Amino acid sequence: MVAEADIGARNPTSAWQSQLIVGTCIVWSLFQLYIASKVPSLVAEATGMSVFANIVAQARYVHLAFAIMLATLAFPLFRNSPRDRIPAYDWALLLLGLAACLYLVVFRFEIADRPGLWTTTDVVMSAIGMMVLMVSVYRSLGLPLVVIASCFILFAFFGGYSEWARNITNFGGASLSKALGHYWMQTEGVFGVALGVSTTMIFLFVLFGALLDRAGGGNWFIKVAIALLGALRGGPAKAAVLSSMMTGMISGSSIANTVTTGTFTIPLMRRIGFPAEKAGAVEVASSTNGQLTPPVMGAAAFLMVEYVNIPYIDVIKHAFLPAVISYIALLYIVHLESLKMGLKGLEKPGRRIGVLMILVLFLSGFIFLGICAFLMIGLRVLLDPVLGDSVYAAVAVLALAYVVLVAVAARYPDLEDDRDQTGPPVAPRLTPTLIGGLYFAIPIFVLVWNLMVRTDSLDRLSPALSAFWATIFMIVIALTHRPLKAFFRGRALSAETRQGWHDFVNGLILGARNMIGIGVATGAAGIIVGTISLTGAHQVIGQVIEVVSGGNLMVLLFLVAVLSLILGMGLPTTANYIVVSSLMAPVIVSVGAQAGLVVPLIAVHMFVFYFGILADDTPPVGLAAYAAAAISRGDPIMTGVQGFTYDIRTALLPFLFIFNTDLLLIDVGPVKAVIVFVVALLAMLLFAAATQGYFIAKSRKWESAVLLLVAFMLFRPGYFLDQISEPFATVEGPAALAMIEGVPEGQDIRLAIEGPDFDTGETRSTVIVIPAVPGDAMAALSEQGLTAVEEDGKLLLEEPFPGTPHFETIGIEYDYYGDAPVVIAQAQVENDRMPKEIFFIPALLLLAGIVLIQRPRATQPAF
């Protein structure tokens, strides 16, 4: 199943054909490492040949050429197509695809001299490239993305025939030459932002994860999780959650994550009493949520950097808290399931770790991840006198740490693959398991260090360069950790050296094969983005969704969630995110502003991303559920249904952080961040208890309802405060200027803008936020590129210039030259109210009441 869905199911019997696939994978991985390094520029300077530097600029075309080539070689076109050989029509498609991509490299100077004036050859090569790309998408990802992309292409050609669409978008249709040139010959279509991110960042992170897995890091993650949690009640299920989270950090595929960890954990869950469907569902919920966990996040994190235009470190910060809360809640759900079924844990030799100690270790691990930037910066300050700006000194310190950790690990036996053990299930001891592979944490440390650390003498590296150096160090580990262990154990080195080389080569192969689907998906998604830039199609779709929702933000969010789930049944998470965010993110922001809610763009993108992930276990197509059911021997549909019920708590989080952006740590200090974490975690655990119908004892229906109410009060205390006290002081018209002048520095001012819609002429309203400039209202407006004029008792707003902060929000949405003016209708400033946290008190009192009521009914200890 993994081969069919992720890496290609064709396995030629002919040696040269098989070697061609393997060799192409290796060359692609080495090419990506080459362009990520500084070697091309150094070679160009040394030789004076610009071709070595130019290959980096042309990398997108080569990247897609490799993806199309491997999709053609590794994935059969139809179910009945031969899998033991490569048929003639695939060779023809391969040559056509390579020709269309490399045409852009070979004739790049001639193409640059005729932008928009495409020749017949340009159009023909573009048509061939589009056709072969669609075939590659179909064979590697199935029909859904092909259908969606085709619909957008048809709109580009025939959308001008619809008067309604033409009135909204002012698009009259595109000629064959214009459309194909836009899609293929420029960087606004197939070779746009998405494919660029796949080329420069996503591949390196996927390759890093593949090398870590092949070297034994994935097995180490799983064994540590089982050693830590396996002896607890329902231990294998809890270990599945923890190990899937850790492997999910470096895996971009829900299916691969399910199979990697599930082959260990699902049989163990079955052996302690979990039914087949629930065992598979736990693994599915854990593995799909692995894409929520920074730093990789299923490749969507890198796309958010480009689409939201924020630093990568900010994406990690915003994603961190929801991911932690989601996983702890899943651990709690697994614990409640174990309590309901009266299950025990695995046997464990030696001293057992108490529940309290495990909780401390678990939370301290998350807390460490949360403050590791500060710890690393402190370490950097201490080492700065020694290291300075010297890369060699830093490498020497890392090498020494690596050798020491391998020497210590050599004293313990290697971690064995015991998936087929026949005796009583036993959890390994934690100390030898943890120390035996601790050196696998070094490249992850290198990755996080480069991404997060910044001092006066050292800047953070880009995500691409961070992944490059982490991958280089991972290659060193893959090649050397086995022979080093043999050396410290006094054994022969030759066999272990060969095995290390095989691990390295297999990592290169797996990394490339894992990228086939992502490579062609980002190219096909570029067609959708290109259609939007060419035609304004998002306005049509946005208006349809907006009309269906009636302008109600909650209804709109629900529709977007359903759309993400439906599309995600047939699309990989990355493609689903690109499609839905491109179409719906502006609509959600616009409708929210019309409703008076300023929704940060990152919150909208995270919302879409979360529901795209949930589609991986949504019946009837959730492939992760089929993979888990194949291992558990359960029903795949029921496995998917059960997995989705476990993931309800994940589906709740996106709605919460749209209305409570504290969960995304937006404008939240360290102290408040801790409070937000504790309160949100408690609320999520109570929500999980309510949906599972079990808290201290089996809950009655009214008790579950009270727990839901308590969870809501903890998540949204501001809702109750708004019912008894107005959140904003509001003034209308020219009086807004006086209010703006009296607002202290550092406080935000909300401006309600009203005026005729540019497309429809109907009056529309929206809300923008500007920072205060004390004592000068015009200066506060001017700093945001806004100019207001008082006239006839109204505060008229002039058209903002392009490039000013609010041009994209209000500059292109309103008709500033119509009969009706655009005005600042209201100005709002937050009222001085009691803290919303006061409502935590009644919530905790209700919770205490439920505890007192349920305690006498408890029939078994909590742990």
Side-chain angles (χ1 to χ4, degrees), residues 620-685:
V621 187
L623 294 179
Y626 281 85
I631 300 170
S632 68
R633 308 294 183 187
D635 179 78
I637 301 297
M638 290 307 299
T639 299
V641 171
Q642 185 68 56
F644 191 77
T645 61
Y646 290 155
D647 268 341
I648 288 177
R649 96 269 176 226
T650 305
L652 175 68
L653 278 170
F655 287 96
L656 291 173
F657 56 59
I658 287 288
F659 294 97
N660 183 5
T661 56
D662 288 352
L663 288 171
L664 298 179
L665 300 181
I666 296 176
D667 298 327
V668 172
V671 175
K672 188 176 180 181
V674 174
I675 296 173
V676 169
F677 170 71
V678 173
V679 173
L681 177 59
L682 177 59
M684 183 56 73
L685 296 182

Side-chain angles (χ1 to χ4, degrees), residues 332 336 339 686 689 693-697 699 707 847 850-851 854:
Y332 184 58
L336 293 178
L339 280 172
L686 294 176
Y694 197 102
F695 185 37
I696 296 174
S699 299
L707 290 175
L847 177 60
I850 295 295
V851 171
Q854 288 201 358

Side-chain angles (χ1 to χ4, degrees), residues 510-777:
L510 181 62
R513 297 193 74 146
N514 284 341
M515 275 299 300
I516 299 172
I518 296 176
V520 296
T522 50
I527 294 174
I528 297 166
V529 177
T531 302
I532 291 172
S533 65
L534 178 66
T535 67
H538 67 289
Q539 298 179 45
V540 176
I541 297 173
Q543 189 174 82
V544 171
I545 297 293
E546 194 171 337
V547 169
V548 172
S549 67
N552 185 294
L553 182 60
M554 277 301 298
V555 176
L556 175 63
L557 291 173
F558 179 77
L559 291 174
V560 173
V562 172
L563 177 64
S564 298
L565 289 174
I566 292 173
L567 290 177
M569 290 182 191
L571 302 184
T573 305
T574 305
N576 185 14
Y577 164 72
I578 295 171
V579 172
V580 183
S581 64
S582 300
L583 296 175
M584 300 312 306
V587 181
I588 295 175
V589 173
S590 175
V591 172
Q594 292 177 41
L597 180 68
V598 179
V599 183
L601 191 57
I602 183 64
V604 178
H605 281 257
M606 291 287 290
F607 181 94
V608 171
F609 175 57
Y610 264 58
F611 279 99
I613 286 173
L614 289 176
D616 279 349
D617 61 8
T618 304
V621 187
L623 294 179
Y626 281 85
I631 300 170
S632 68
R633 308 294 183 187
D635 179 78
I637 301 297
M638 290 307 299
T639 299
V641 171
Q642 185 68 56
F644 191 77
T645 61
Y646 290 155
D647 268 341
I648 288 177
R649 96 269 176 226
T650 305
L652 175 68
L653 278 170
F655 287 96
L656 291 173
F657 56 59
I658 287 288
F659 294 97
N660 183 5
T661 56
D662 288 352
L663 288 171
L664 298 179
L665 300 181
I666 296 176
D667 298 327
V668 172
V671 175
K672 188 176 180 181
V674 174
I675 296 173
V676 169
F677 170 71
V678 173
V679 173
L681 177 59
L682 177 59
M684 183 56 73
L685 296 182
L686 294 176
F687 177 80
T691 56
Q692 291 299 308
Y694 197 102
F695 185 37
I696 296 174
K698 185 176 181 181
S699 299
R700 300 185 177 101
K701 290 183 179 179
W702 70 268
E703 291 172 342
S704 294
V706 172
L707 290 175
L708 287 175
L709 175 62
V710 173
F712 182 74
M713 293 175 73
L714 294 175
F715 270 127
R716 285 290 317 278
Y719 172 83
F720 298 95
L721 182 58
D722 291 345
Q723 307 309 307
I724 62 175
S725 176
E726 287 293 330
F728 300 103
T730 304
V731 297
E732 299 183 354
L737 295 177
M739 170 181 273
I740 294 173
E741 290 179 351
V743 177
E745 188 174 4
Q747 191 168 348
D748 288 334
I749 304 162
R750 294 161 52 94
L751 300 179
I753 312 298
E754 288 185 0
D757 185 276
F758 183 82
D759 296 312
T760 65
E762 298 180 0
T763 300
R764 60 174 293 168
S765 62
T766 192
V767 174
I768 63 174
V769 176
I770 66 172
V773 176
D776 192 343

Side-chain angles (χ1 to χ4, degrees), residues 786-804:
L786 305 176
T787 303
V789 178
E790 186 177 347
E791 184 178 307
D792 298 331
K794 296 181 179 180
L795 197 57
L796 275 59
L797 185 68
E798 297 185 2
E799 182 179 13
F801 290 106
T804 54

